[in-house]
């Protein structure tokens, strides 16, 4: 889903505008994780399209120095980085006549500089254009001179201009996605996979067996997205980037079987990957290190496949990862090659699930059935809407009323049931799924 980041000073009517975009009064309560300042988001639906609107919170100028605080600036820059498009909201005024309104402020200039520096596309939105006379002020060239592209006068309070703005937004995304898909044909983005596990479980043996398979072509071509540590391969014509494999291969060559790779190093590798192959030894029990790695993979929302190695030595193994029940386990022998040919198809399957998008209608029907089957309180649940708002991994929202949140009408146990049933209905093998409550 396209992300639109909303920027603006306090008092320009940003919350009203935010609520207008996402359809009052659905201001969303869940926070985007990993942000220090509040950053709310909501979904704006227009002409059968959904956009994610990310609100950065009101920004205040330091009155005395007339500048934005450093911390706040950092927050804004971070938000801009996430954006596919920026809505910069400010108040409309007749710039030419200084007696009837302030000129372009330092704040506006500074934000404009940040936006231009980021090279992200932006619409300059002039709020409080409640009547035709005020809308005319938008034609003043001084607004264009800020260099923030399209100027749109709107009234968040009465809705004037908001429809036009959203039409323009859809047009804009249509145009840019055409350009992007052309670029994509030239620069293929491979699926990123990494192999991790304790020393001696057989990672390098597995890598060599995988690379030795005749169906796999190790690309001789240099590749833009590929680091010196990575191996780009093609499986059934699909590119797959094995992350941080150099270390694994080197160790195999010099036959250093016991070598401590810090857990820290694995953490770094996991962060870069879409899907993690966690290799374990069939004869060993889960260690603290394995648990730490698993927790980290889950926390970082990665796809996961557990590869249980050395099945030539022992056939049965302990089911040891209750942490990620959804992860498929595959029993192989890297040494003799048993089941190794099943790994690439499994990776492709998990990748499909990691990117799975469920139609809104199907989700609505699904929830209706669950309410009956699981005897959820009809009175409360008939007002709940379910939607998907993201992939990698699939993320769903349950839209509820503020009073439901206040009364804690939606129980965690019920959310867990929905998760479980989602997994039964569609294939999410190998991928985490997320459910957030929104209002
Ligand atoms: P790494 O440290 O995880 O990269 O592990 P290595 O690939 O270096 O393997 C460690 C040891 O386990 C070596 O002696 C391998 O020959 C052995 N090994 C790897 N895979 C298998 C397997 O499937 N079966 C058996 N019996 N031994 C294996």
């Amino acid at each position: 889903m396209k992300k639109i980041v909303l920027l603006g000073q306090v008092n320009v009517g940003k919350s009203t505008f935010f609520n207008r975009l996402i359809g009052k009064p659905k201001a969303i309560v869940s926070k985007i994780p990993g942000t220090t300042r509040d950053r709310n988001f909501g979904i704006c639906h227009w002409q059968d399209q959904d956009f994610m609107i990310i609100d950065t919170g009101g920004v205040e100028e330091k009155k005395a120095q007339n500048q934005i605080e450093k911390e706040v600036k950092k927050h804004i820059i971070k938000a801009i980085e996430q954006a596919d498009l920026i809505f910069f909201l400010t108040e409309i005024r007749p710039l030419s006549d200084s007696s009837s309104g302030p000129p372009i402020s330092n704040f506006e200039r500074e934000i404009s500089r940040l936006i231009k520096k980021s090279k992200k596309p932006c619409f300059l939105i002039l709020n409080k254009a409640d009547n035709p006379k005020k809308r005319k002020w938008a034609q003043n060239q001084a607004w264009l001179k800020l260099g923030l592209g399209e100027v749109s006068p709107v009234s968040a309070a009465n809705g004037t201009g908001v429809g036009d703005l959203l039409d323009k937004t859809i047009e804009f995304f249509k145009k840019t996605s055409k350009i992007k898909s052309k670029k994509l044909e030239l620069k293929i983005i491979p699926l990123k996979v990494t192999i991790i596990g304790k020393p001696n479980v057989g990672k390098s043996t597995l890598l060599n067996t995988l690379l030795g398979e005749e169906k796999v072509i190790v690309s001789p071509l240099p590749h833009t997205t590929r680091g010196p540590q990575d191996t780009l391969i093609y499986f059934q014509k699909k590119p797959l980037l094995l992350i941080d494999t150099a270390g694994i291969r080197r160790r195999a060559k010099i036959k250093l079987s016991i070598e401590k790779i810090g857990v820290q190093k694995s953490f770094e590798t996991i962060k870069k990957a879409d899907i993690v192959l966690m290799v374990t030894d069939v004869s060993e029990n889960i260690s603290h290190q394995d648990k730490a790695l698993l927790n980290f993979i889950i926390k970082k929302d990665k796809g996961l496949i557990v590869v249980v190695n050395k099945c030539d030595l022992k056939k049965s193994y302990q089911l040891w990862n209750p942490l990620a029940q959804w992860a498929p386990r595959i029993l192989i022998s890297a040494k003799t090659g048993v089941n190794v040919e099943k790994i690439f198809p499994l990776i492709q399957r998990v990748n499909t699930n990691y990117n799975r998008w469920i139609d809104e209608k199907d989700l609505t029907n699904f929830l209706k059935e669950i309410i009956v089957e699981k005897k959820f309180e009809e009175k409360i649940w008939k007002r709940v809407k379910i939607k998907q708002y993201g992939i990698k991994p699939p993320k769903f929202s349950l839209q509820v009323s503020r009073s439901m949140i206040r009364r804690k009408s939606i129980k965690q146990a019920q959310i867990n049931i929905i998760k479980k049933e989602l997994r039964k209905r569609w294939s999410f093998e190998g991928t985490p799924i997320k459910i957030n409550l929104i209002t």
Side-chain angles (χ1 to χ4, degrees):
M1 194 184 312
K2 296 289 185 200
K3 296 196 196 89
I4 301 176
V5 164
L6 188 55
L7 292 175
Q9 216 167 352
V10 284
N11 285 333
V12 296
K14 199 149 63 69
S15 330
T16 316
F17 183 62
F18 180 73
N19 286 338
R20 171 71 65 182
L21 290 178
I22 64 176
K24 228 175 168 178
K26 294 180 205 152
I28 270 172
V29 289
S30 51
K31 301 271 184 278
I32 293 184
T35 54
T36 43
R37 287 170 57 93
D38 290 357
R39 203 178 288 172
N40 293 332
F41 69 94
I43 290 163
C44 167
H45 188 79
W46 188 254
Q47 288 184 17
D48 274 342
Q49 306 250 1
D50 286 334
F51 315 114
M52 188 188 277
I53 312 284
I54 301 174
D55 182 9
T56 47
V59 182
E60 246 173 309
E61 247 177 305
K62 250 194 194 166
K63 284 278 166 333
Q65 292 102 335
N66 235 350
Q67 53 167 246
I68 311 164
E69 276 180 54
K70 230 181 175 178
E71 202 47 40
V72 176
K73 216 186 226 174
K74 255 199 234 158
H75 170 73
I76 293 176
I77 292 171
K78 261 215 160 133
I80 289 177
E81 275 169 13
Q82 292 191 312
D84 295 305
L85 176 64
I86 297 163
F87 280 177
F88 179 32
L89 191 73
T90 194
E91 198 173 324
I92 198 160
R93 54 213 191 252
L95 286 170
S96 50
D97 177 5
S98 58
S99 63
S100 44
I104 302 279
S105 70
N106 281 343
F107 172 85
E108 286 161 335
R109 285 193 203 288
E110 204 162 340
I111 295 288
S112 304
R113 264 198 299 276
L114 290 182
I115 293 171
K116 277 189 278 187
K117 208 168 151 200
S118 75
K119 299 210 163 69
K120 294 273 179 158
C122 175
F123 289 172
L124 177 63
I125 300 165
L126 304 177
N127 191 28
K128 309 196 188 175
D130 307 323
N131 55 48
K133 184 183 156 213
K134 288 187 177 179
R135 273 198 294 283
K136 268 212 169 134
W137 294 340
Q139 289 162 13
N140 192 319
Q141 292 298 309
W143 295 116
L144 269 180
K145 279 190 192 139
L146 274 173
L148 296 179
E150 291 263 3
V151 179
S152 310
V154 302
S155 165
N158 68 26
T160 315
V162 177
D164 289 345
L165 170 71
L166 292 174
D167 284 345
K168 270 199 280 186
T169 304
I170 287 186
E171 267 311 298
F172 169 80
F173 282 135
K174 261 193 207 150
K175 262 194 264 160
T176 50
S177 63
K178 258 188 217 147
I179 299 167
K180 259 209 194 126
S181 61
K182 263 193 200 147
K183 267 197 201 151
L184 273 182
E185 279 164 21
L186 298 174
K187 188 178 147 205
I188 315 151
I189 297 169
L191 168 65
K192 296 187 213 91
V193 176
T194 189
I195 303 175
I196 61 153
K198 281 188 300 184
N200 250 357
V201 291
K203 294 183 295 296
S204 38
T205 313
L206 173 62
L207 183 67
N208 287 328
T209 314
L210 280 174
L211 297 186
E213 273 201 31
E214 47 188 317
K215 278 169 254 145
V216 169
I217 303 156
V218 180
S219 168
L221 298 169
H223 201 273
T224 43
T225 51
R226 173 174 153 196
Q229 304 287 312
D230 308 334
T231 310
L232 179 72
I233 60 172
Y234 284 88
F235 177 72
Q236 293 178 344
K237 295 196 179 142
K238 288 196 189 106
L240 204 149
L241 194 65
L242 290 167
I243 306 268
D244 270 355
T245 44
I248 301 179
R249 284 161 98 184
R250 211 177 307 123
R251 284 187 305 118
K253 250 194 213 149
I254 42 180
K255 295 235 164 9
L256 252 186
S257 56
I258 302 173
E259 185 185 310
K260 286 227 165 85
I261 337 173
V263 178
Q264 201 52 45
K265 169 88 177 111
S266 303
F267 284 170
E268 290 311 309
T269 311
I270 291 167
K271 275 195 220 158
K272 286 189 257 168
D274 299 311
I275 295 171
V276 179
L277 293 188
M278 180 154 172
V279 185
T280 65
D281 184 322
V282 71
S283 327
E284 285 178 15
N285 289 335
I286 184 167
S287 67
H288 280 301
Q289 182 172 331
D290 292 329
K291 274 188 198 155
L293 286 170
L294 272 175
N295 271 323
F296 190 76
I297 294 165
I298 295 166
K299 195 172 123 203
K300 290 288 162 197
D301 291 334
K302 302 299 178 180
L304 171 66
I305 296 169
V306 178
V307 179
V308 185
N309 190 27
K310 309 194 186 179
C311 75
D312 52 312
L313 299 179
K314 197 175 159 218
K315 290 264 177 314
S316 64
Y317 60 97
Q318 231 191 330
L319 269 183
W320 55 258
N321 67 333
L323 286 173
Q325 296 275 7
W326 41 261
R329 293 169 199 83
I330 180 165
L331 189 62
I332 65 150
S333 169
K335 201 167 167 182
T336 65
V338 173
N339 282 345
V340 172
E341 82 285 355
K342 291 186 184 152
I343 292 181
F344 281 127
L346 184 58
I347 292 173
Q348 302 292 1
R349 229 164 55 222
V350 167
N351 186 40
T352 304
N353 298 339
Y354 195 53
N355 286 280
R356 189 171 294 290
W357 187 270
I358 312 287
D359 202 67
E360 201 175 317
K361 257 194 243 135
D362 295 338
L363 279 174
T364 307
N365 287 335
F366 159 80
L367 186 61
K368 269 190 203 147
E369 286 167 34
I370 297 302
I371 294 169
V372 177
E373 257 172 52
K374 302 291 167 188
K375 304 200 170 60
F376 285 4
E377 304 85 324
E378 175 81 42
K379 216 171 58 205
I380 296 169
W381 279 85
K382 71 169 187 232
R383 290 184 292 145
V384 178
K385 270 200 193 121
I386 187 167
K387 261 191 187 183
Q388 184 168 359
Y389 69 90
I391 52 168
K392 288 183 167 203
K395 302 175 190 77
F396 302 90
S397 60
L398 287 179
Q399 199 170 51
V400 297
S401 67
R402 278 175 199 280
S403 70
M404 288 183 209
I405 299 239
R406 218 173 28 242
R407 294 192 195 122
K408 299 201 168 72
S409 317
I410 306 291
K411 307 279 183 293
Q412 185 56 44
Q414 292 175 312
I415 295 177
N416 293 346
I417 289 174
I418 293 174
K419 256 193 193 172
K420 206 165 140 191
E421 294 299 318
L422 276 170
R423 287 189 181 280
K424 275 194 204 159
R425 181 74 53 103
W426 291 280
S427 175
F428 289 112
E429 184 192 32
T431 173
I433 48 180
K434 304 247 135 175
I435 299 184
N436 284 318
L437 283 188
I438 62 172
T439 58

